[in-house]
Amino acid sequence: MTFVGQSTAAASEQDTGRATARDVVAAYVGLTKPRVIELLLLTTVPVMFFAARGIPPLGLVVATVVGGTFSAGSASVFNCVYDRDIDEQMRRTRRRALPRHIVSPGAALVFGFVLGILSTVILAVWVNPLSAVLSVAANAFYVFGYTMLLKRRTTQNIVWGGLAGCFPALIGWTAVTGRLSWVPIVLFAVVFFWTPPHTWALALRYREDYAGVDVPMLPVVKPAREVGRQIVVYSWVMVAISLLLWPVAGTGLVYPVVAVVLGAVFLVEAHRMWGRARSTEDLSRIQPMRLFHSSNLYLSLLFVAVALDPLLSR
């Protein structure tokens, strides 16, 4: 597949001409997938608080957030350019900028490269070289590993492709300490095992979309009951690993208490969805989006606890 097609670019130029400046700005912002960036930053900043055992320097936080935002945005832009053919056919993605021809693929590519370069410079100069290298590695893996290699070829696409989304925990830690340790690796693993239940729940909701464009997400090739079973397995491993942070990092009681409560709630929801999936293939009864939204809340509150633990356990 080529990144830029002449016919698509021509159509883009025509439609861009009809779009208002506000439409174009909104389109460029949309290419960066702001909601994904929010989630990634949510696993970066709390780790910085934990690494600092308190409140990290404001300037360092700002530089890390800005650099991380540009890096994640760059990867998302490249993903949108490469996947624009299937995005045009899927209900969930057909309103993105490239399928609507508000931004041309060529312009999007330039935008992606600019964001990537800015992010690397910001992290290397105002944070540290290790954080910059980790950011580039995450970006490259998401684009080349997940988007171009795994997504359209294997049911394990999101399992291994999800590694890119785990790097913010490492970047947040190295931004403060300048080195890696077992603490951020544990949090890296939490996000790794959280990603399949989170993504498979969404993919189950939109499995017809993925099937229509031949993307072999697990819910496309396996029945809902098998998807539910695997979600439960990953969820148990995720919760178990989340509790490892207590002995590994020597946290106070705030974190383990929150982790136990959140983990119990998440496991109940995962088992309930699996139970519904064992009796029907009807998505309206399986209600996979309940687990999807629960997963967002779980990760958000867990990392809030990571940030608050050193502040409340003094």
Side-chain angles (χ1 to χ4, degrees), residues 81-99:
V81 173
Y82 191 83
D83 279 348
R84 67 188 185 279
D85 59 329
I86 60 176
D87 283 350
E88 288 183 351
Q89 303 175 57
M90 297 177 64
R91 289 173 298 165
R92 187 173 65 88
T93 56
R94 64 178 54 154
R95 299 301 297 168
R96 287 177 177 172
L98 290 170

Side-chain angles (χ1 to χ4, degrees), residues 198-265:
H198 170 77
T199 309
W200 285 337
L202 182 66
L204 191 57
R205 166 67 178 82
Y206 291 101
R207 64 182 175 186
E208 292 182 2
D209 271 4
Y210 287 108
V213 294
D214 296 323
V215 174
M217 298 294 286
L218 186 67
V220 172
V221 300
K222 296 291 184 180
R225 63 180 179 277
E226 175 61 18
V227 177
R229 185 189 71 81
Q230 293 204 33
I231 283 176
V232 165
V233 171
Y234 274 89
S235 298
W236 273 99
V237 176
M238 174 194 72
V239 172
I241 292 177
S242 74
L243 296 177
L244 279 178
L245 190 66
W246 184 17
V248 169
T251 71
L253 289 177
V254 173
Y255 174 80
V257 169
V258 172
V260 167
V261 172
L262 290 175
V265 172

Side-chain angles (χ1 to χ4, degrees), residues 1 9 57 61 93 107 123 190 205 218 243 303 305:
M1 173 182 290
V61 173
T93 56
L123 291 174
V190 170
R205 166 67 178 82
L218 186 67
L243 296 177
F303 274 81

Side-chain angles (χ1 to χ4, degrees), residues 22 26 45 53 72 78 95 121 151 171 178 190 192 207 224 249-250 260 268 270 314:
R22 182 176 181 179
V45 177
R53 293 291 175 175
F78 292 137
R95 299 301 297 168
V121 170
K151 183 174 180 178
I171 294 169
V190 170
F192 177 79
R207 64 182 175 186
V260 167
V268 167
R314 291 177 174 178

Side-chain angles (χ1 to χ4, degrees), residues 9-78:
S12 300
E13 289 172 4
Q14 293 173 1
D15 290 337
T16 301
R18 291 196 295 269
T20 66
R22 182 176 181 179
D23 290 335
V24 174
V25 170
Y28 275 103
V29 172
L31 285 172
T32 66
K33 300 182 183 179
R35 295 188 68 179
V36 173
I37 291 175
E38 289 175 11
L39 198 60
L40 294 177
L41 293 180
L42 185 64
T43 58
T44 303
V45 177
V47 176
M48 296 182 71
F49 276 72
F50 193 79
R53 293 291 175 175
I55 302 175
L58 178 59
L60 181 63
V61 173
V62 170
T64 305
V65 166
V66 173
T69 297
F70 286 175
S71 178
S74 172
S76 293
V77 171
F78 292 137

